[in-house]
Amino acid sequence: MRKIELERALSGEIEPPVIRLDDVCKDYDDDMHALKHLNLIVNKGEFVFVVGSSGSGKSTLIKLLLKEIGPTSGKIYVMGKDISRLKKNAVAKYRRNIGIVFQDFRLLPEMTVFENVAFAQRVIETPIKKIKRDVPNILSIMGLSERLDAHPSELSGGEQQRVALARALVNNPMLLLADEPTGNLDPRNSWEIMRLLEDVNKRGTTVIVVTHNKEIVDMMQKRVVHLNKGVLTNDYEKGGYSNVKN
Amino acid sequence: MFSLASIATMAACLFLFGVFYAVIANFRAMISKAETRVGFTVFFDEGISDEEIAEIGEKITYRAEVSEIVLTTADEAWEQYKSEKLSPELIQTFGNDNPLENSASYTVYLNDISMQESLVRYIRSIEGVRKVNNKKDVSESLTSINKVLTVLAIAIIIILLGVAVFLIGITISTGVSIRKQEISIMKLIGATNFFIRIPYIVEGILIGLIGAAIPLIILNFSYGVIINALQNNFALLLSGTDFVDSGSIMKVLIPLSIGLGVGIGFLGSNITLGKQLKKIEVKT
Ligand SMILES: Nc1ncnc2c1ncn2[C@@H]1O[C@H](COP(=O)(O)OP(=O)(O)OP(=O)(O)O)[C@@H](O)[C@H]1O
Ligand SMILES: [Mg+2]
C-alpha cells in the first residue's frame, strides 16, 4: 500500500510527501551502521511514532531530518526538495520550517518563559509587534498564560516541556519533530504533552514523535514505525507498540 | 571581564604604536632637516671670471633636486678664515692681499638627498669646476638610521598586533563558549550564521574602537606637555630642534589607530568565530 503511494508521489500525481527517505544509510564509522537502507514516506498531516530499543537509530533519523548530519548514502526529500543540495546558508532557512522538541527541554535558564518563546521569533527577525501577539497566544494554547514571567527553574517538568513546545510551534512549522518529549515526565504530564501534540497535528502540522512510551503508543492508535538496529522492521498504519517483540 | 583585558591590551598596543609613531615622525623631521642642512661645496678653476661663476650657478640651480645655492666669494672666505683661525698679529702680515684668491665657492643644498650622487657627477662635468667636496658619509648614515628605525618600528608593531588579535580571539571564544547553549538553540531554530555572528563581531569592533580611543586621548594630551618639558629642561641640547606639532601627529595617528583597532577587532573576532561556531553542534 505504501509502495503505491510512493509511486504516485514520484510521478507527481499527488502533492509531494513531507518526508521521503530513499534507501538512506548512515554510518558513524566503519563498524557503526546507525541506519541501514531506510525507506520511509510521511505525508502531510500525518502523526507518526518512531519506536525502537536504545541505539536503534531514532535520534539519528531526527538529526538527518534537521540536516545536522548528512546520510552516508541515499536521498532525503523534505517537501519534495533534496535537502542534501541545500547550501550552507539555506540550511538556516530550511530549519525555520521545522519545530523541534527534546527530552531535556533545552530552555535558556536566564530567560523568562515569554523570552524563551520570543527568542525563536527574534532569531528569525520577526517584527516586535508580531512577537508580542504570537507569544502570549501560543503560550495560552499551552496553558501557560499565568507563567509568562517565570524562569524555567520555577516550572515543573511538564510546564517546561510545554514552553519548549510553544517555542517549537510559535513560527508555525509545517513539520514538528519530537525526540522523546515525554522521557523526563510523569504519566499525567506525558499525556498532557501528547494531547497538545495531537492538537497541533489536527491543525495541519505533520508530527513525528520518537518515544519509548508503550502505553501512549498503544492508546493513541497512530502510525508506528519500528526501528531495530538501524533497520525499519515494521510500519503499522494504526498500530501499537506491543504487537512487535523487540 | 575578558573584554576589559582585551581593551587594555589593545589600548597598550596602540599607545605604543602612537609613541613610536610620534618618535619616528620627529626623528624623520630632524633627519630631513639635517639632510637639507648638509650641503656640499663647489670650487672653481683658477682665474675664473665672476660671469663664469654666475653661469655655473645658473646651471646648478636649474636642477630640480637643488633647493638652494649660496655663493661664498674669495673675500668672504678670507674674512671668515681670518676671524676663525688667525691671530690679529698674523693678519697684519698679509696686508691687503687675499691669499685665498681662488677660494670662491658655491654651497649647494638639496631637497632630495638621494639625488646627491648623480648631481655631484653632473657638477663635476661642468666646465670651470675644479673640485666638489662631497660629504656623502653624513647623509648616508643619516638615511640608514632612518631606515633601521622604520624597520624596527614596523617589526614591533606587527608583533604587538599579533598579540592583540590573539587576545581578542580569546575574548570572543570565551564569549561563545559561555553562550554555547544559546547558540546551539539558535542554530536549531534557524538563525543564520550572520545573525549568530553579528553580536560578537560588534564586540570585537567595539574593543578595537575603545582600545584606539584611550591611547589617542592620552597621547593627544601628553604629547604637547612632553614636548614642552623637553624644550624647557634640555634647552641647550635641543636648541634648533623643531618638534613636529601635536596637530600634524594626531592628524595621521587618529585615522591610523582607529583603522588598526577596528581592523584588528574585526579580524580577531571573525577568525575565532569561524573556528568556534563550527564546534557547536545541535546535539540530539
Ligand atoms: N556521533 C556519533 N558517533 C558515533 N556513533 C554514534 C554517534 N551518534 C550515535 N551513534 C551510534 O549510533 C547508534 C544509533 O544512535 P541513536 O542516537 O540514533 O540511537 P537512538 O535510537 O536514539 O537511541 P536512544 O533510544 O538511546 O536515544 C547508536 O549505537 C549510537 O551509539
Ligand atoms: Mg535518542
Side-chain angles (χ1 to χ4, degrees):
Chain A
M1 176 186 163
R2 298 244 153 243
K3 191 132 191 199
I4 296 162
E5 265 178 40
L6 173 65
E7 277 158 11
R8 287 174 64 204
L10 284 173
S11 64
E13 209 175 302
I14 52 171
E15 202 184 340
V18 173
I19 293 167
R20 189 178 114 209
L21 302 190
D22 277 1
D23 201 31
V24 168
C25 298
K26 178 64 193 179
D27 305 337
Y28 283 109
D29 45 65
D30 288 345
D31 40 27
M32 173 47 70
H33 309 293
L35 288 176
K36 299 169 196 161
H37 304 285
L38 201 63
N39 288 292
L40 179 68
I41 285 189
V42 177
N43 284 308
K44 192 164 187 292
E46 277 197 273
F47 189 118
V48 183
F49 281 119
V50 177
V51 301
S53 53
S54 185
S56 57
K58 306 180 297 292
S59 295
T60 301
L61 174 62
I62 299 289
K63 282 188 221 178
L64 284 168
L65 291 173
L66 268 177
K67 201 169 158 58
E68 180 56 26
I69 53 176
T72 309
S73 65
K75 292 263 181 228
I76 301 172
Y77 300 89
V78 175
M79 292 302 280
K81 284 211 182 84
D82 180 353
I83 64 168
S84 70
R85 304 179 96 129
L86 290 173
K87 296 258 156 56
K88 229 179 168 185
N89 270 323
V91 172
K93 300 261 156 62
Y94 163 73
R95 286 186 181 148
R96 295 176 185 186
N97 298 310
I98 301 175
I100 173 93
V101 177
F102 298 101
Q103 178 172 357
D104 56 1
F105 320 136
R106 309 239 178 128
L107 300 174
L108 293 167
E110 69 281 7
M111 288 185 188
T112 64
V113 167
F114 181 94
E115 287 163 351
N116 263 287
V117 178
F119 184 64
Q121 291 200 302
R122 280 212 343 259
V123 158
I124 64 166
E125 289 154 81
T126 308
I128 304 274
K129 245 181 160 174
K130 188 166 157 56
I131 296 180
K132 285 194 172 145
R133 199 173 55 231
D134 289 357
V135 174
N137 202 17
I138 189 77
L139 282 170
S140 100
I141 293 172
M142 296 296 141
L144 288 165
S145 291
E146 312 291 304
R147 310 303 313 265
L148 297 189
D149 297 324
H151 284 262
S153 58
E154 299 163 323
L155 301 178
S156 74
E159 285 170 327
Q160 288 185 55
Q161 192 61 299
R162 280 184 277 149
V163 176
L165 196 52
R167 184 180 63 193
L169 294 171
V170 71
N171 292 325
N172 271 315
M174 54 111 195
L175 174 63
L176 181 73
L177 305 175
D179 195 350
E180 300 190 36
T182 61
N184 284 343
L185 303 181
D186 61 22
R188 196 180 61 81
N189 276 304
S190 297
W191 276 110
E192 176 69 17
I193 293 293
M194 285 302 165
R195 189 186 62 73
L196 288 166
L197 289 174
E198 205 174 13
D199 277 359
V200 168
N201 176 244
K202 280 195 182 122
R203 269 183 266 133
T205 303
T206 307
V207 176
I208 295 184
V209 182
V210 170
T211 187
H212 285 290
N213 195 319
K214 280 192 180 67
E215 194 195 333
I216 284 175
V217 173
D218 282 342
M219 289 286 285
M220 284 180 72
Q221 291 292 300
K222 302 287 185 191
R223 181 179 168 193
V224 183
V225 169
H226 290 252
L227 289 179
N228 187 5
K229 295 188 180 120
V231 178
L232 196 157
T233 51
N234 292 88
D235 187 349
Y236 292 106
E237 191 70 33
K238 268 195 169 42
Y241 198 113
S242 313
N243 50 5
V244 168
K245 294 147 235 72
N246 268 317
Chain B
M1 239 334 268
F2 274 94
S3 48
L4 272 184
S6 286
I7 289 173
T9 317
M10 178 74 92
C13 287
L14 290 176
F15 180 76
L16 272 173
F17 173 74
V19 168
F20 252 98
Y21 175 78
V23 169
I24 287 176
N26 274 295
F27 202 80
R28 290 186 87 122
M30 283 178 212
I31 287 172
S32 63
K33 200 171 170 198
E35 275 177 347
T36 51
R37 259 194 238 140
V38 177
F40 56 86
T41 326
V42 179
F43 295 98
F44 314 105
D45 289 343
E46 277 174 44
I48 197 166
S49 70
D50 288 353
E51 292 76 40
E52 282 169 306
I53 289 178
E55 220 170 277
I56 292 170
E58 256 168 56
K59 278 183 184 158
I60 297 173
T61 330
Y62 190 69
R63 301 279 289 202
E65 64 268 37
V66 173
S67 71
E68 190 189 8
I69 64 172
V70 176
L71 177 67
T72 310
T73 61
D75 290 341
E76 284 166 357
W78 175 227
E79 288 302 323
Q80 193 182 352
Y81 190 77
K82 276 197 293 194
S83 64
E84 279 175 13
K85 301 276 164 67
L86 301 179
S87 61
E89 300 84 51
L90 212 56
I91 294 169
Q92 291 293 315
T93 62
F94 286 100
N96 280 334
D97 290 345
N98 180 354
L100 297 179
E101 217 169 338
N102 291 316
S103 295
S105 67
Y106 280 127
T107 309
V108 179
Y109 298 100
L110 295 177
N111 50 32
D112 182 359
I113 203 78
S114 67
M115 300 296 289
Q116 178 168 327
E117 224 170 307
S118 65
L119 181 68
V120 167
R121 229 177 297 127
Y122 167 73
I123 294 175
R124 282 198 175 118
S125 74
I126 299 175
E127 206 164 315
V129 171
R130 174 165 50 93
K131 179 173 121 186
V132 176
N133 263 357
N134 190 357
K135 294 179 196 156
K136 202 165 145 227
D137 292 354
V138 185
S139 59
E140 255 185 9
S141 63
L142 280 177
T143 314
S144 68
I145 289 175
N146 199 348
K147 268 185 199 150
V148 168
L149 249 184
T150 309
V151 168
L152 201 75
I154 290 173
I156 289 176
I157 286 161
I158 287 173
I159 292 169
L160 288 178
L161 296 191
V163 172
V165 168
F166 176 74
L167 264 151
I168 287 179
I170 291 181
T171 309
I172 298 297
S173 60
T174 346
V176 168
S177 67
I178 287 170
R179 273 142 68 182
K180 227 180 203 152
Q181 198 192 8
E182 195 176 325
I183 292 170
S184 136
I185 291 170
M186 284 166 102
K187 280 190 166 184
L188 226 106
I189 289 166
T192 56
N193 260 331
F194 179 74
F195 186 89
I196 295 171
R197 276 166 177 256
I198 202 78
Y200 297 100
I201 289 179
V202 168
E203 186 181 352
I205 289 176
L206 265 178
I207 288 173
L209 263 181
I210 300 171
I214 293 170
L216 282 175
I217 292 167
I218 296 174
L219 284 167
N220 190 32
F221 283 113
S222 56
Y223 184 77
V225 175
I226 289 171
I227 296 299
N228 260 340
L230 281 176
Q231 275 169 336
N232 292 339
N233 295 322
F234 302 96
L236 267 178
L237 206 68
L238 296 170
S239 68
T241 314
D242 292 332
F243 288 100
V244 181
D245 67 294
S246 163
S248 44
I249 295 266
M250 295 314 281
K251 207 167 72 192
V252 178
L253 211 50
I254 287 174
L256 213 60
S257 296
I258 289 179
L260 273 173
V262 170
I264 294 164
F266 179 77
L267 220 84
S269 55
N270 224 4
I271 293 171
T272 324
L273 277 172
K275 281 192 228 147
Q276 292 296 315
L277 291 180
K278 235 175 242 162
K279 281 195 216 154
I280 299 177
E281 301 290 305
V282 180
K283 281 176 289 151
T284 48

